[in-house]
Amino acid sequence: MNQSQELVVTTSPDELRMAVRQARSEGQRIGCVPTMGALHEGHISLIRQAVDTCDFVVVWIFVNPTQFGEGEDLQTYPRPIEEDLKKCGAAGVRMVFMPPPEVIYPDGYSTWVEVAGLSEILEGASRPGHFRGVATIVLKLLNLIQPDVAFFGAKDYQQQTLIRRMVRDLNLPVEIAICPTVREEDGLAMSSRNAYLNPAERAAAIRLFEALQLADSRFREGAEDVAAVQEEMLGHLRGSDLIEPDYAVIADPDSLEQLTSPQPRMVALIAARVGSTRLIDNQLIELSPR
Ligand code: AMP
């Protein structure tokens, strides 16, 4: 596709809009990949899919302050911008948009998007206001870029569920593409926050993936007691002194309501603190009829 041209980096919404308008007038398909930067192979897989299926790809790099709670890592979140730009250039991205916070949230900013229900459970219960910040920034970026397709990772399961719900509820004219979770060799889901882990924590963090696999195997073996499987997941996480589980649940993959009995499609969702780093992971469990 048309990806041989140079990468343009901008902080200006006007420059962004003009470039997108120009590309669209040439009949190009516009793709966008929203990120907070510190790009790893998980982000790059989204970017690759965007570059493979679109003509003009915009990567959005913005550490969105409104999705961080008090005492969270907004100030310390990694920002290796030079490396990020190199990776985008090498991947065939056409534009990186890195707006300053005051451009996105000018003085007196007062408009928010709430996706009721999905925002308050699981991650939302542990991180009040987080999904209001996520829904608001994603709607703003969809308005600014107006892409044909926006790419998100399955890694953030509740986030992608909430975004798909918002797009449906607000009739947004955009396709949402969900890309599979990219993992380290031992199974740990890639995350910018993995950089915070010391070697002992990094070794312990594999338990999140193992607990998800445990749930998957139990249901494949015919487990009927969802609560017992959840307890087993929690037990596996607690097997390391370095891990403090937040939740380990089996839920409906669309509503995210917790299940009391197994069904053909389920999602296992985990959040846990490993040392002082909060990590999340998930796995879809799809049982074939027996
Ligand atoms: P973030 O920069 O953490 O906000 O993530 C930006 C996008 O990359 C989100 O859609 C994430 O779901 C996605 N993402 C993050 N980590 C992974 C991963 N390990 N595999 C696939 N997608 C990911």
Side-chain angles (χ1 to χ4, degrees):
M1 296 220 167
N2 189 10
Q3 294 293 342
S4 55
Q5 293 164 55
E6 239 175 67
L7 173 70
V8 175
V9 180
T10 185
T11 57
S12 152
D14 288 343
E15 191 179 351
L16 170 74
R17 276 187 191 276
M18 262 166 20
V20 170
R21 197 174 301 145
Q22 175 68 29
R24 176 161 293 115
S25 74
E26 292 166 8
Q28 299 190 36
R29 181 171 160 86
I30 316 294
C32 114
V33 183
T35 80
M36 298 205 299
L39 304 180
H40 51 64
E41 274 303 311
H43 299 112
I44 302 298
S45 74
L46 270 58
I47 293 173
R48 278 203 202 101
Q49 185 162 340
V51 169
D52 285 351
T53 56
C54 299
D55 306 297
F56 188 96
V57 172
V58 181
V59 170
W60 166 289
I61 299 182
F62 182 61
V63 182
N64 176 34
T66 64
Q67 71 188 69
F68 286 76
E70 232 168 271
E72 291 189 355
D73 56 345
L74 173 62
Q75 303 308 330
T76 53
Y77 199 84
R79 290 167 169 87
I81 194 61
E82 289 306 320
E83 285 163 44
D84 285 353
L85 295 181
K86 268 191 209 135
K87 289 175 186 171
C88 288
V93 171
R94 291 288 298 284
M95 181 163 256
V96 171
F97 181 53
M98 321 189 323
E102 62 275 17
V103 166
I104 296 298
Y105 299 111
D107 270 352
Y109 187 86
S110 60
T111 306
W112 301 100
V113 183
E114 300 269 4
V115 182
L118 278 178
S119 288
E120 289 101 47
I121 56 176
L122 301 167
E123 284 303 280
S126 299
R127 305 181 68 190
H130 171 67
F131 284 122
R132 183 178 89 147
V134 169
T136 301
I137 195 66
V138 171
L139 181 60
K140 282 168 73 71
L141 86 85
L142 293 176
N143 280 335
L144 272 165
I145 303 178
Q146 303 192 355
D148 295 290
V149 47
F151 297 81
F152 293 89
K155 153 80 170 33
D156 296 280
Y157 192 91
Q158 189 173 1
Q159 171 174 287
Q160 55 98 350
T161 304
L162 176 123
I163 288 165
R164 287 187 292 116
R165 177 76 60 84
M166 175 180 77
V167 164
R168 186 202 71 177
D169 287 356
L170 297 181
N171 307 99
L172 301 178
V174 62
E175 179 190 328
I176 300 297
I178 306 299
C179 305
T181 301
V182 176
R183 298 179 178 281
E184 302 285 355
E185 238 168 67
D186 63 358
L188 176 66
M190 289 196 183
S191 161
S192 307
R193 291 191 168 103
N194 291 350
Y196 300 146
L197 301 172
N198 68 30
E201 292 163 354
R202 169 64 186 82
I206 180 64
R207 283 178 180 266
L208 274 78
F209 177 61
E210 289 172 349
L212 294 169
Q213 287 198 309
L214 193 68
D216 188 72
S217 325
R218 288 295 174 265
F219 288 117
R220 280 181 204 291
E221 290 157 10
E224 292 290 342
D225 186 344
V226 169
V229 173
Q230 290 175 164
E231 269 314 307
E232 215 182 326
M233 291 165 76
L234 287 169
H236 189 74
L237 294 170
R238 290 195 187 106
S240 164
D241 292 344
L242 297 173
I243 301 188
E244 181 55 49
D246 183 352
Y247 58 77
V249 301
I250 308 297
D252 178 89
D254 300 314
S255 69
L256 299 191
E257 274 167 31
Q258 286 192 45
L259 298 175
T260 49
S261 57
Q263 59 185 39
R265 290 185 75 245
M266 302 176 272
V267 61
L269 299 150
I270 283 182
R273 210 165 273 285
V274 182
S276 58
T277 305
R278 194 165 178 287
L279 299 179
I280 57 172
D281 200 353
N282 71 84
Q283 183 160 325
L284 261 180
I285 301 174
E286 297 182 284
L287 302 177
S288 39
R290 278 186 290 158

